[in-house]
């Protein structure tokens, strides 16, 4: 996803803009650029490829300046190229943009008729020329208000103006944008992570806001130009130095961190002395609602699918789950007695944010389960349940997935007990089991001796299947997603019981198939499904859990037995070998593990 940086200072800014762009590299991008004002004139340097290449060009042109904007671009309109890289400049202004301007074609025609010549294929360039046009007859503020009204679609903008060394303009609709506060300087950034190396004092623009940032002051305005005060957050410092440490990849570190992030999350929600779940900010009585709707994308959606099984088994509520990009366009029958839960690691996923906004427009009860507590989804929901797993940099989500499932399980247990669906004894045994989850996770992480070689087989396969029943089915989907996004290998997660209804035709000699068969109610049937695929030549990796009964395992290729744990918590443990399988497959292929091709850590466009 694109990333924005702006700095206005009484000191040189170029190198800090470049360093901050590097903090945004995790979002995924294909080109980069920077523009500064030197003696009031706009100077821009752009390149296709990495920030390192941009830095080389900056040094070659000796680009300086005490006010500047920078951008890493993830192509939406126009192929990845130097000319399409941001910033986009006219004679008067230079603009960086995250988002999509949906009416850019019409606006481009309007501007071309007025004599403007376009150099790029991007929607963003329209903004530079539109601002230039309106500046001819309007004040700065009037120009901003009128231009933003003309733009349809989503944007986070950073704009500098020829001859105006005193301010940078920022604006936001749909795509997040933050302001950072420093000594005799201030900052603009598409997320707090990019600004954390310079400050931990951050404000956020709300949808429709614009801001005028000077060295010594920041002004916020709503879309009508009325001044407003946006809250200043003091961000946590523990993430300030989140680095790889001894690991080669962030993803590797984040997989190994899971025992401690599970502990951190449990410590936030469970009082070990009273053996109770504490969700202090829960504003409703559980009998206020009769149903729960869970919404998310990708891995977050998979955590919602697992939670559906937990909630159906442990509460009297009707539970439904939807992919955010589908939910937001369905004809939803909103119900006052529903609770809408939005799960998102970044808290900035455009589809999930739009689904939340739709629910808020219909005055529904909303809850956000996020990792980034300063994010848009967190700020706009009625209540937030953080997952407390610390910065997750790897684009492929790992520790955040277990964190999402953990918070959903804790919430489910709280609701179940508050509804008196389970008694105190069962409630406390569930809590006791949760307290052993971190240790079981630690043991399961060690079960990776075979996975290095198994990963090579999956990496070089034509395709693979991941099968499971019950709450192992969403984990099968998650395992397939991990392999797809890291090793670029086709992989399909499927309900094990569905294979005979078509996909069995895919099975051929030597095809690697993961079968998730924990010793739950589905175990025997899943083993039968496993035999069906083995009989047709599949190489089966069976993932089950330790048990006194011998595993039915003739003819299987490989087997991994995760720790014995309460059945409901098995989804956490069987996920770990799948994370490692995908990691080793990507290692075998030599791919960029933390930044897979075409992907972004936070998908802030629809
Ligand atoms: C997960 O490995 C993927 N990178 C992706 O599916 C991700 O889960 C999805 O884009 C949702 O992101 P969010 O949790 O930040 O909303």
């Amino acid at each position: 996803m694109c990333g924005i940086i702006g700095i206005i200072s009484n000191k040189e800014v170029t190198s800090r803009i470049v360093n901050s762009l590097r903090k945004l590299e995790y979002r995924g991008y294909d080109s980069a650029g920077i523009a500064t004002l030197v003696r009031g004139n706009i100077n821009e340097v752009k390149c296709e490829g990495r920030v390192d290449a941009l830095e080389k060009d900056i040094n070659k042109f000796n680009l300086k300046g005490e006010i500047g904007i920078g951008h890493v671009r993830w192509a939406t309109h126009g192929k990845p190229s130097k000319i399409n890289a941001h910033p986009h400049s006219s004679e008067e202004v230079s603009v960086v943009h995250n988002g999509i301007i949906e009416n850019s074609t019409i606006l481009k025609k309007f501007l071309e008729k007025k004599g403007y010549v376009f150099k790029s294929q991007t929607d963003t360039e329209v903004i530079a020329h539109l601002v230039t046009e309106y500046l001819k007859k309007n004040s700065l503020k009037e120009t901003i208000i009128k231009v933003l009204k003309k733009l349809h679609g989503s944007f986070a903008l950073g704009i500098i103006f020829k001859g105006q060394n005193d301010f940078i303009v920022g604006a936001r609709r749909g795509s997040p944008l933050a302001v950072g506060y420093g000594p005799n300087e201030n900052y603009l950034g598409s997320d707090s992570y990019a600004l954390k190396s310079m400050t931990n004092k951050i404000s956020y623009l709300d949808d429709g806001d614009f801001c005028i940032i000077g060295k010594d002051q920041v002004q916020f305005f709503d879309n009508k130009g009325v001044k407003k005060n946006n809250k200043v957050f003091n961000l946590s410092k523990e993430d300030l130095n989140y680095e790889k440490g001894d690991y080669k990849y962030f993803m590797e570190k984040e997989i190994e961190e899971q025992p401690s992030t599970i502990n951190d999350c449990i410590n936030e929600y469970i009082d070990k002395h009273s053996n109770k779940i504490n969700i202090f900010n829960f504003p409703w009585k559980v009998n206020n609602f009769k149903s729960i709707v869970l919404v998310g994308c990708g891995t977050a959606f998979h955590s919602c699918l697992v939670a559906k099984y937990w909630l159906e088994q442990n509460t009297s509520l009707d539970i439904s789950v939807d992919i955010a990009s589908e939910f937001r366009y369905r004809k939803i029958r909103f119900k006052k007695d529903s609770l809408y839960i939005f799960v998102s690691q970044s808290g900035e996923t455009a589809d999930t944010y739009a689904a939340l906004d739709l629910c808020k427009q219909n005055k529904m009860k909303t809850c956000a389960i996020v990792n980034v507590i300063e994010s848009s989804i967190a700020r706009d929901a009625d209540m937030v349940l953080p997952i407390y797993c610390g910065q997750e940099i790897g684009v492929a989500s790992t520790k955040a997935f277990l964190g999402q499932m953990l918070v959903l399980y804790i919430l489910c247990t709280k609701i179940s007990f508050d509804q008196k669906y389970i008694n105190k004894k069962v409630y406390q045994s569930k809590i006791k089991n949760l307290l052993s989850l971190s240790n079981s996770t630690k043991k399961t992480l060690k079960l990776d001796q075979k996975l290095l070689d198994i990963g090579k087989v999956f990496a070089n396969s034509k395709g693979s299947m991941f099968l499971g029943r019950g709450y192992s089915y969403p984990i099968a989907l998650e395992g397939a997603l991990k392999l797809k996004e890291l090793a670029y290998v086709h992989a399909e997660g499927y309900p094990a019981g569905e294979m005979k209804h078509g996909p069995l035709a895919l099975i051929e000699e030597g095809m690697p198939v993961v079968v998730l068969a924990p010793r739950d109610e589905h175990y025997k049937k899943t083993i039968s499904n496993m035999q069906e695929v083995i009989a047709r030549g599949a190489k089966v990796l069976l993932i089950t859990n330790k048990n006194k009964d011998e595993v039915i395992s003739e003819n299987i290729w490989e087997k991994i037995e995760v720790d014995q744990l309460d059945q409901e918590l098995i989804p956490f443990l069987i996920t770990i070998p799948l994370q490692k399988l995908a990691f080793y497959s990507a290692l075998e292929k030599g791919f960029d593990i933390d930044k897979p091709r075409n992907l972004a850590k936070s998908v802030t466009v629809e």
Side-chain angles (χ1 to χ4, degrees), residues 517 519 523-528 530-531 534 540 542 544 549-556 559 561:
R519 311 301 187 94
Y523 175 68
K524 286 209 167 52
K525 288 204 176 61
T526 309
I527 292 296
S528 308
M530 178 184 81
Q531 295 303 344
I534 290 176
V540 164
L542 170 63
T544 182
D549 303 338
E550 189 40 43
V551 175
I552 306 166
S553 60
E554 68 274 13
N555 306 327
I556 63 168
K559 174 184 71 182
E561 287 183 293

Side-chain angles (χ1 to χ4, degrees), residues 297-300 344-346 349 395-397 404 481-482 485 601 603:
C297 297
T299 288
S344 173
Q345 188 283 132
S346 63
T349 297
V395 166
S397 190
Q404 288 158 357
L481 175 64
K482 286 282 145 318
E485 63 179 332
K601 183 60 183 170
V603 184

Side-chain angles (χ1 to χ4, degrees), residues 150-317:
K150 276 276 184 192
L151 300 179
H152 301 169
S154 62
F155 51 76
L157 300 177
I159 310 174
I160 56 175
F161 297 74
K162 181 180 176 185
Q164 300 288 352
N165 289 304
D166 304 331
F167 59 81
I168 297 176
V169 166
R172 182 235 160 127
R173 184 196 300 155
S175 278
L177 196 61
V179 169
Y181 303 91
N184 305 314
E185 61 184 27
N186 291 308
Y187 321 106
L188 192 64
S190 30
D191 69 17
S192 57
Y193 187 62
L195 302 176
K196 274 186 173 177
S197 59
M198 298 182 285
T199 179
N200 69 329
K201 286 193 178 325
I202 307 272
S203 294
Y204 291 89
L205 279 79
D206 295 322
D207 247 11
D209 286 0
F210 67 89
C211 60
I212 299 177
I213 306 173
K215 285 194 279 290
D216 310 311
Q217 64 156 356
V218 176
Q219 294 175 296
F220 293 97
F221 304 90
D222 66 18
N223 60 358
K224 294 183 180 59
V226 175
K227 271 188 109 172
K228 61 194 291 267
N229 289 317
N230 290 29
K231 189 179 169 207
V232 179
F233 292 86
N234 287 314
L235 298 190
S236 54
K237 288 199 176 251
E238 81 270 359
D239 283 339
L240 268 183
N241 304 311
Y242 185 76
E243 297 300 346
K244 289 192 276 260
D246 300 337
Y247 293 94
K248 191 160 180 244
Y249 304 101
F250 277 111
M251 182 189 166
E252 189 181 11
K253 178 180 181 188
E254 288 152 6
I255 290 173
E256 298 300 327
E257 276 178 339
Q258 292 178 114
S260 62
T261 53
I262 284 171
N263 254 345
D264 294 348
C265 184
I266 283 176
N267 290 340
E268 291 290 338
Y269 290 106
I270 291 178
D271 178 335
K272 292 175 185 169
H273 301 290
S274 63
N275 211 23
K276 276 188 350 191
I277 289 171
N278 291 328
I279 297 183
F280 298 109
N281 60 336
F282 200 77
W284 308 290
K285 293 257 173 294
V286 284
N287 53 20
N288 283 161
F289 44 85
K290 300 277 176 296
S291 60
I292 289 181
V293 180
L294 298 147
V295 181
C297 297
T299 288
F301 168 66
H302 297 155
S303 71
C304 297
L305 284 175
V306 179
K308 175 177 164 71
Y309 290 94
W310 286 331
L311 286 159
E312 285 174 342
Q313 282 158 0
N314 291 292
T315 74
S316 59
L317 300 173

